[in-house]
C-alpha cells in the first residue's frame, strides 16, 4: 500500500460496511484490492465490490491522509463494462434516459398519469405501487399576489435557474416554489433552453466522455444568460461545482467551466443570506408541524452546506425542526446505487429510519432529489403517515403561497 495507513477510520463511517461488516466494502478494502496484482481486475466479483459503493464521501472526509476514495473508485469503474455490477443493465438504461431530456419528460408524464389512475388498484405493498409514488406530487404552488411567474418582471432582477431532471420531469411544484421564493427576494427565475442532466450519474459510473458531453451542453446553455445561477437540487449543485475537474488538461473548457461555477448559487445558501426573508405567520391557527431535515451526503461531505437549510426552517413559525441524537445519516440512495443494490440500499435506510421515527416527524424534507425519492419509497412501503416534500415546497407553503393540503401523507398510507 502506497498511501492508505489502514487505520480503519473509513470503516467506522461507511454506510455499506455498517450493514455488511465486509472488509471489502470499506475504502481501505477497495484500495487494497486495486493494488493487489494477483486479482483479475475485471472479474464480475471485482466489479461488484466497486459497484457496491455509494460514493457518499464519508470515508474521504475522515481519512487522515486525505485520500480521495471517490475519485479512485470512479477511476476503477471507468475500466469496467457499461453494465457492470448487479442491476448494471437497469442503471445503464437510466443513464441513457437521463441523457435525453425529451425522453425523461415523456416518461415523467406517463408516470404521473399511471400514478393517478392505477395507484388505488394496486396492493399496498406492490413493487409497482412503491415505484409510482415517485411520480406523486403536491398541488402546484399558487402564484403570490404579486404574480409568481418564472418570467422576468419589470421590477425584478433576473436569476438564472438550473432545475435539474427531477424538478423538470417529476415534481413541477419544485420549480414553481423556487419561483415564488425567488420573487420574495426580488428575483424572477429564467430557465435557459438547452439544459440537460447535470451528468452526475454518468460521472459516477466512470463514463467520463458522457459526463463531459453533458457538462459542455450545460455550460453552453448557461453562458447564454448572465448573472447568478440558482440550483435547487443538492446533487446537481455538488456535481456542477466539480465541472472544472472534468476538463483537466483542456484549458479552454476548464476556464469556461470555472466561470459558470463562479456563478452558482445553492438554494438554501442563497435564501439564507437575505435576513429579511422570513415566512409569514400562519394564516390559519394550527399546531406546529414537526419537520425532519435530511442532510444529503453531498452537502455533508463535499460542499459542507448543513446550516443554511436549518436556519431557514427555524425562521418558520409553523415548523418545529427535530434532530436525531446520533446526528445525520445516509439514506442509502446513492444515485443509481439503489437500482443495483436494492437490498443494501434498504438496509442502510432502515438504520436511518430507526433513528428518525422516534422523533415523530410529520414532514421529512431535503433538497436532494435522490434522497427524496428514497424517503418517498420508504414511507410508502412502511405505510407511515409522514409527508415527504422538497424544502422549496415547504418554505413556499410557509410563505403563504398555497396552503398545506392536510396532515395526510403525500404518498403511501
Amino acid at each position: 500500500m502506497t498511501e492508505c495507513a489502514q487505520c480503519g477510520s473509513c470503516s467506522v463511517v461507511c454506510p455499506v460496511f455498517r450493514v455488511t461488516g465486509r472488509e471489502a466494502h470499506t475504502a481501505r478494502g477497495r484500495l487494497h484490492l486495486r493494488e493487489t496484482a494477483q486479482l483479475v481486475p475485471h472479474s464480475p466479483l471485482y466489479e461488484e465490490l466497486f459497484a457496491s459503493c455509494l460514493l457518499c464521501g464519508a470515508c474521504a472526509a475522515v481519512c487522515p491522509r486525505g485520500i480521495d476514495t471517490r475519485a479512485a473508485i470512479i477511476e476503477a469503474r471507468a475500466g469496467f463494462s457499461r453494465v457492470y455490477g448487479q442491476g448494471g443493465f437497469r442503471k445503464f438504461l437510466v443513464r441513457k434516459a437521463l441523457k435525453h431530456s425529451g425522453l425523461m419528460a415523456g416518461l415523467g408524464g406517463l408516470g404521473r398519469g399511471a400514478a393517478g389512475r392505477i395507484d388505488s388498484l394496486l396492493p399496498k405493498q406492490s413493487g409497482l405501487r412503491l415505484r409510482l409514488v415517485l411520480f406523486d406530487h403536491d398541488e402546484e404552488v399558487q402564484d403570490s399576489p404579486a404574480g409568481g411567474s418564472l418570467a422576468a418582471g419589470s421590477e425584478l432582477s433576473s436569476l438564472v435557474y438550473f432545475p435539474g431532471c427531477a424538478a423538470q420531469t417529476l415534481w413541477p411544484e419544485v420549480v414553481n416554489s423556487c419561483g415564488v421564493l425567488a420573487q420574495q427576494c426580488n428575483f424572477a427565475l429564467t430557465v435557459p433552453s438547452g439544459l440537460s442532466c447535470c451528468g452526475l450519474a454518468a460521472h459516477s459510473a466512470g463514463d467520463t466522455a458522457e459526463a463531459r458531453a453533458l457538462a459542455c451542453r450545460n455550460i453552453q446553455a448557461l453562458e447564454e444568460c448572465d448573472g447568478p445561477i440558482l440550483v435547487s437540487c443538492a446533487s446537481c449543485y455538488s456535481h456542477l461545482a466539480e465541472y472544472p475537474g472534468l476538463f483537466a488538461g483542456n484549458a479552454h473548457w476548464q476556464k469556461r467551466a470555472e466561470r459558470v461555477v463562479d456563478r452558482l448559487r445553492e438554494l438554501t445558501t442563497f435564501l439564507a443570506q437575505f435576513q429579511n426573508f422570513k415566512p409569514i405567520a400562519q394564516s390559519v391557527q394550527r399546531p406546529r408541524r414537526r419537520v425532519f431535515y435530511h442532510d444529503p451526503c453531498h452537502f455533508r461531505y463535499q460542499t459542507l452546506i448543513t446550516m443554511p437549510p436549518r436556519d431557514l426552517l427555524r425562521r418558520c413559525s409553523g415548523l418545529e425542526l427535530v434532530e436525531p441524537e446520533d446526528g445525520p445519516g445516509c439514506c442509502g440512495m446513492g444515485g443509481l446505487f439503489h437500482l443495483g443494490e436494492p437490498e443494501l440500499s434498504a438496509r442502510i435506510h432502515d438504520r436511518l429510519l430507526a433513528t428518525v421515527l422516534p422523533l415523530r416527524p410529520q414532514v421529512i424534507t431535503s433538497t436532494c432529489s435522490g434522497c427524496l425519492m428514497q424517503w418517498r419509497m420508504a414511507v410508502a412501503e412502511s405505510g407511515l403517515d409522514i409527508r415527504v416534500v422538497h424544502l422549496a415546497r415547504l418554505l413556499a407553503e410557509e410563505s403563504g403561497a398555497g396552503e398545506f393540503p392536510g396532515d395526510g401523507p403525500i404518498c403511501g398510507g
Side-chain angles (χ1 to χ4, degrees):
M1 302 294 290
T2 57
E3 296 182 82
C4 179
Q6 303 187 50
C7 65
S9 297
C10 57
S11 304
V12 178
V13 298
C14 177
V16 178
F17 177 76
R18 284 182 174 183
V19 299
T20 68
R22 295 186 62 187
E23 172 66 18
H25 284 153
T26 67
R28 176 177 64 182
R30 293 191 179 96
L31 290 173
H32 176 73
L33 289 174
R34 287 207 69 192
E35 297 189 10
T36 303
Q38 290 84 352
L39 291 178
V40 178
H42 299 289
S43 69
L45 177 59
Y46 183 93
E47 293 186 355
E48 172 57 25
L49 289 172
F50 281 85
S52 58
C53 174
L54 289 153
L55 294 179
C56 67
C59 53
V62 300
C63 178
R65 295 196 172 182
I67 300 175
D68 189 350
T69 314
R70 288 179 64 251
I73 291 175
I74 290 172
E75 181 182 351
R77 291 176 177 180
F80 298 167
S81 67
R82 293 189 175 184
V83 293
Y84 67 90
Q86 296 185 45
F89 188 65
R90 290 194 299 272
K91 293 187 290 185
F92 173 76
L93 290 179
V94 172
R95 293 199 302 272
K96 291 303 152 186
L98 289 170
K99 178 182 177 181
H100 303 284
S101 57
L103 176 59
M104 285 297 298
L107 291 175
L110 289 174
R112 288 194 298 273
R117 289 182 174 84
I118 69 175
D119 176 73
S120 61
L121 304 177
L122 295 170
K124 189 173 183 179
Q125 298 301 319
S126 164
L128 176 57
R129 182 176 182 272
L130 296 179
R131 292 294 177 184
L132 288 177
V133 302
L134 299 182
F135 298 93
D136 289 347
H137 63 91
D138 284 335
E139 298 176 4
E140 295 185 7
V141 176
Q142 300 299 313
D143 290 346
S144 63
S149 172
L150 293 180
S154 57
E155 299 181 358
L156 300 177
S157 300
S158 179
L159 183 64
V160 183
Y161 180 45
F162 185 95
C165 297
Q168 285 189 309
T169 62
L170 298 182
W171 307 319
E173 70 273 14
V174 174
V175 177
N176 292 337
S177 297
C178 287
V180 169
L181 296 173
Q183 181 180 333
Q184 292 180 357
C185 300
N186 297 317
F187 289 91
L189 299 187
T190 299
V191 182
S193 60
L195 291 176
S196 66
C197 168
C198 68
L200 176 59
H203 178 63
S204 298
D207 192 344
T208 304
E210 185 66 47
R212 284 175 180 162
L214 292 171
C216 289
R217 190 183 307 173
N218 287 323
I219 291 170
Q220 290 172 322
L222 293 169
E223 286 175 334
E224 294 299 315
C225 303
D226 296 324
I229 303 167
L230 187 71
V231 187
S232 56
C233 174
S235 294
C236 290
Y237 176 80
S238 299
H239 185 61
L240 289 169
E242 293 186 337
Y243 269 11
L246 291 175
F247 298 103
N250 187 328
H252 172 70
W253 276 102
Q254 192 168 52
K255 288 182 179 178
R256 294 176 68 175
E258 289 171 350
R259 286 194 290 268
V260 167
V261 169
D262 287 342
R263 297 165 55 199
L264 296 180
R265 302 291 185 272
E266 187 274 325
L267 174 68
T268 64
T269 306
F270 178 79
L271 295 176
Q273 71 179 323
F274 296 94
Q275 294 303 317
N276 61 344
F277 176 79
K278 185 176 182 180
I280 63 174
Q282 300 178 47
S283 58
V284 178
Q285 291 300 315
R286 61 184 178 221
R288 297 174 72 194
R289 288 181 278 168
R290 296 172 62 84
V291 178
F292 168 70
Y293 170 73
H294 173 75
D295 286 279
C297 288
H298 288 107
F299 278 6
R300 289 174 64 195
Y301 302 119
Q302 291 174 239
T303 54
L304 306 181
I305 299 174
T306 58
M307 295 311 298
R310 290 171 170 82
D311 176 29
L312 293 171
L313 289 170
R314 292 190 179 104
R315 296 185 195 183
C316 301
S317 60
L319 303 177
E320 177 187 357
L321 183 64
V322 295
E323 303 266 18
E325 292 183 2
D326 295 338
C330 179
C331 71
M333 179 70 174
L336 302 185
F337 173 87
H338 75 292
L339 292 177
E341 306 287 347
E343 293 184 6
L344 281 179
S345 178
R347 290 169 65 185
I348 293 169
H349 190 271
D350 287 346
R351 284 177 58 91
L352 179 59
L353 189 63
T355 68
V356 172
L357 288 184
L359 304 174
R360 297 178 292 107
Q362 295 165 287
V363 182
I364 294 174
T365 189
S366 185
T367 58
C368 176
S369 302
C371 295
L372 289 170
M373 293 178 187
Q374 182 82 331
W375 275 108
R376 286 188 174 210
M377 289 188 290
V379 164
E381 185 175 14
S382 303
L384 299 170
D385 189 23
I386 302 174
R387 185 171 178 237
V388 181
V389 63
H390 193 283
L391 181 57
R393 178 65 173 101
L394 189 59
L395 294 175
E397 285 176 359
E398 291 297 308
S399 300
E403 292 296 325
F404 181 59
D407 290 330
I410 190 173
C411 59

